[in-house]
């Protein structure tokens, strides 16, 4: 039996065990995508030195992941609705592995851009694929919990891409570690090809809804756009601070080595990893979304403000503030529940695409923007070929993060409560 025959949808319903393993592989793809997302944060000095660039261009290099990821979310959602997750996710994971090989071997900045773009486009199917798989195969009342579970695995990827990867980069170099990451992706793609299933029709064929019907339905819902803006606000600090600029900031402000700084910044992901399944479970348990979104916005804004602007804090206080930030910001998982519950099942992929496009779009904008602000404040100091920015320059650049957090709180206050009930038409 060929892999295609093995994985192709059939009229027989898959077992619960097979479906559970399939969802776990989709969530592991999000783990893998998160490692890719934050990996440049522990390579900043090396990338500046190898490509002879400053903060703005390093931010742009990292953000090429987000350009491709965010820009393709709506097409990804439409394709998932129409074609199902099996082929799309399998090919997407393979594309990420290819992009990782390209990035690892890049000798010019443009080749590095290409590698990051391929990685970002493939990763665009990760979280959307996990949510789509949950939507088509799992009970609706478990959607928020499964969304939180996928986020938890994703954030474990974020933690892996911080201190452990930072230590490995220092020991072996960034290029060998990108090759290791590429091999992992190739293995995951093979597993997805054999395990994942598309949902069959009664006659055994794959559903074929009208191509743009789901997008039209999702884009016409104001609640979907409010949910997207809330998700964007909650994710901003994680993508801008945790995903790139937090590690060099902590190195400069606290005089820590890279591994120590990465360990502290990874506390943000620890909070996120705990909070995502917790918020999902609480929202499903009480069938309420809005109160937990408000609480999350308050905690995330307070956490990032304390982490950056409390004077002369200890490492323990910094770690605690970042845990609080991640805990609160993880309430962004509820934006997908709000969106899902305001659109029918046949528009689930497009709904996730719109929300996730806005969520990840914050990284595409903020990473190079903060790098540009840092370049404006640069005093000319260099260390081993890399630009060195002062702690004050970082703090000035980070001012936008609590402002965006307040914006998220305002959005949460006007979102309509869904009580866990989904639209059927």
């Amino acid at each position: 039996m060929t892999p295609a025959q093995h994985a192709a949808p059939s009229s027989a319903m898959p077992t619960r065990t097979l479906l559970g393993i399939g969802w776990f592989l989709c969530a592991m793809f999000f783990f893998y995508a998160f490692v890719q997302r934050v990996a440049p944060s522990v390579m900043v000095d090396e990338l500046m030195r190898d490509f002879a660039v400053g903060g703005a261009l390093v931010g742009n290099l990292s953000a090429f992941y987000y350009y491709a990821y965010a820009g393709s979310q709506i097409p990804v959602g439409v394709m998932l609705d129409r074609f199902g997750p099996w082929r799309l996710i399998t090919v997407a994971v393979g594309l990420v592995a290819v992009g990782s090989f390209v990035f690892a071997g890049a000798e010019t900045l443009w080749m590095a851009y290409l590698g990051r773009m391929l990685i970002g486009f493939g990763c665009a199917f990760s979280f959307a694929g996990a949510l789509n798989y949950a939507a088509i195969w799992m009970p609706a009342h478990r959607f928020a919990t499964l969304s939180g579970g996928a986020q938890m695995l994703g954030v474990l990827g974020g933690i892996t891409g911080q201190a452990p990867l930072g230590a490995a980069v220092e020991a072996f170099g960034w290029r060998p570690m990108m090759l290791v990451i590429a091999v992992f992706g190739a293995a995951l793609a093979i597993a997805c090809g054999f395990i994942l299933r598309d949902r069959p029709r009664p006659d055994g064929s794959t559903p074929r809804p009208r191509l743009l019907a789901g997008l039209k339905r999702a884009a016409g819902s104001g609640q979907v756009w409010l949910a997207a803006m809330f998700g964007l606000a909650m994710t901003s600090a994680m993508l801008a601070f945790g995903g790139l600029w937090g590690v060099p900031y902590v190195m400069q402000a606290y005089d820590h080595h890279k591994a120590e700084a990465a360990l502290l910044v990874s506390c943000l992901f620890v909070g996120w990893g705990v909070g995502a399944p917790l918020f999902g479970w609480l929202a499903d348990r009480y069938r309420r979304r809005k109160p937990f979104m408000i609480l999350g916005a308050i905690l995330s804004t307070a956490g990032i403000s304390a982490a950056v602007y409390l004077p002369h804090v200890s490492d323990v206080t910094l770690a605690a503030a970042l845990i609080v930030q991640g805990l609160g910001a993880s309430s962004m998982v509820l934006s997908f529940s709000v969106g899902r519950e305001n659109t029918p099942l046949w528009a689930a992929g497009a709904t996730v695409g719109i929300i996730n496009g806005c969520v990840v779009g914050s990284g595409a904008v903020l990473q190079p923007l903060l790098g540009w602000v840092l370049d404006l404040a640069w005093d000319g100091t260099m260390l081993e070929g890399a630009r060195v920015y002062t702690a004050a320059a970082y703090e000035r650049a980070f001012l936008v993060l609590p402002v965006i957090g307040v914006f998220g709180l305002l959005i949460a206050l006007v979102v309509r409560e869904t009580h866990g009930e989904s639209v059927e038409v």
Side-chain angles (χ1 to χ4, degrees), residues 102-247:
V102 172
F103 186 56
E107 296 296 335
T108 67
L109 189 60
W110 287 105
M111 284 299 294
Y113 283 159
L114 175 62
R116 286 292 289 176
M117 185 179 295
L118 291 174
I119 291 169
F121 181 72
C123 288
F125 289 83
S126 59
F127 191 54
L131 295 193
N132 181 263
Y133 210 77
I136 65 175
W137 283 117
M138 307 299 179
H141 66 277
R142 298 298 183 195
F143 188 78
T145 302
L146 291 170
S147 299
Q151 278 289 328
M152 181 180 68
L153 277 175
V155 171
L156 287 175
I159 295 171
T160 302
Q162 290 281 341
L165 183 60
V169 166
E170 284 196 319
F172 304 107
W174 72 273
R175 294 183 189 273
M177 294 317 302
M178 284 304 305
L179 289 175
V180 171
I181 290 171
V183 171
F184 177 87
L188 182 60
I190 293 170
C192 288
F194 278 94
I195 298 297
L196 299 189
R197 294 292 188 270
D198 291 333
R199 191 171 185 90
R201 277 177 164 176
D203 63 2
S205 62
T206 303
R208 291 287 189 267
R210 288 179 294 131
L211 185 61
L212 298 179
L215 177 59
K216 182 178 179 180
R217 178 66 176 82
S221 171
Q223 290 297 308
V224 168
W225 289 106
L226 286 175
M229 291 300 100
F230 177 79
L232 179 154
M234 292 301 96
T235 314
S236 293
M238 183 267 289
L239 298 183
F241 186 93
L244 185 62
W245 294 116
V247 171

Side-chain angles (χ1 to χ4, degrees), residues 5 9 16 74 91 95 100 102 138 142 181 195 223-224 226 237 247 260 264 277 315 344 352 362 409 414 421 424:
Q5 289 172 328
R16 292 179 61 182
I74 291 177
V91 172
L95 185 61
S100 301
V102 172
M138 307 299 179
R142 298 298 183 195
I181 290 171
I195 298 297
Q223 290 297 308
V224 168
L226 286 175
V247 171
E260 297 169 327
L264 282 166
D315 285 357
V352 170
S362 63
L409 175 59
V414 300
E421 298 178 0
E424 298 298 332

Side-chain angles (χ1 to χ4, degrees), residues 210-400:
R210 288 179 294 131
L211 185 61
L212 298 179
L215 177 59
K216 182 178 179 180
R217 178 66 176 82
S221 171
Q223 290 297 308
V224 168
W225 289 106
L226 286 175
M229 291 300 100
F230 177 79
L232 179 154
M234 292 301 96
T235 314
S236 293
M238 183 267 289
L239 298 183
F241 186 93
L244 185 62
W245 294 116
V247 171
Y249 164 69
V250 173
M251 290 173 66
Q252 179 66 20
Y254 290 84
D255 194 27
H256 284 320
H257 294 297
K258 180 179 294 182
E260 297 169 327
L263 182 62
L264 282 166
V265 172
S266 69
C267 290
L268 185 156
F269 298 102
V270 171
W272 192 292
V274 172
L278 178 62
F279 274 114
W281 179 80
L282 288 171
D284 280 343
R285 171 68 177 80
Y286 295 101
R287 294 190 179 272
R288 300 289 301 277
R289 308 320 189 201
K290 187 170 180 173
F292 299 111
M293 293 168 74
I294 293 171
L295 174 62
I298 293 171
L299 291 176
S300 67
T301 305
I304 194 62
S305 300
V308 178
Y309 299 109
L310 282 181
H312 309 298
V313 300
S314 65
D315 285 357
V316 172
T317 302
L318 175 62
L322 289 173
I323 288 173
V324 169
Q325 200 288 324
L327 181 70
S330 69
S331 62
M332 62 81 65
V333 298
L334 303 183
S335 63
F336 294 97
S337 297
V338 171
R340 169 68 186 86
E341 290 157 8
N342 279 279
T343 52
L345 180 60
W346 50 266
T351 301
V352 170
I354 290 173
I355 296 173
N356 215 26
C358 292
V359 164
V360 183
S362 63
V365 173
L366 286 175
Q367 285 194 350
L369 175 63
L370 296 186
W372 176 73
V373 174
L374 288 169
D375 280 344
L376 290 178
W378 181 47
D379 61 9
T381 303
M382 300 280 289
L383 179 63
E384 298 180 351
R387 294 187 181 186
V388 177
Y389 306 105
T390 66
Y394 282 108
E395 290 162 7
R396 188 179 306 118
F398 292 151
L399 277 171
V400 68

Side-chain angles (χ1 to χ4, degrees), residues 16-50:
R16 292 179 61 182
T17 299
L18 188 66
L19 292 177
I21 294 172
W23 177 84
F24 178 76
L25 288 175
C26 292
M28 280 301 296
F29 184 17
F30 191 46
F31 168 94
Y32 183 48
F34 236 106
V35 172
Q36 298 277 13
R37 185 178 296 183
V38 305
S41 71
V42 296
M43 305 174 182
V44 170
D45 292 344
E46 290 82 357
L47 294 173
M48 283 186 180
R49 181 173 56 249
D50 284 10

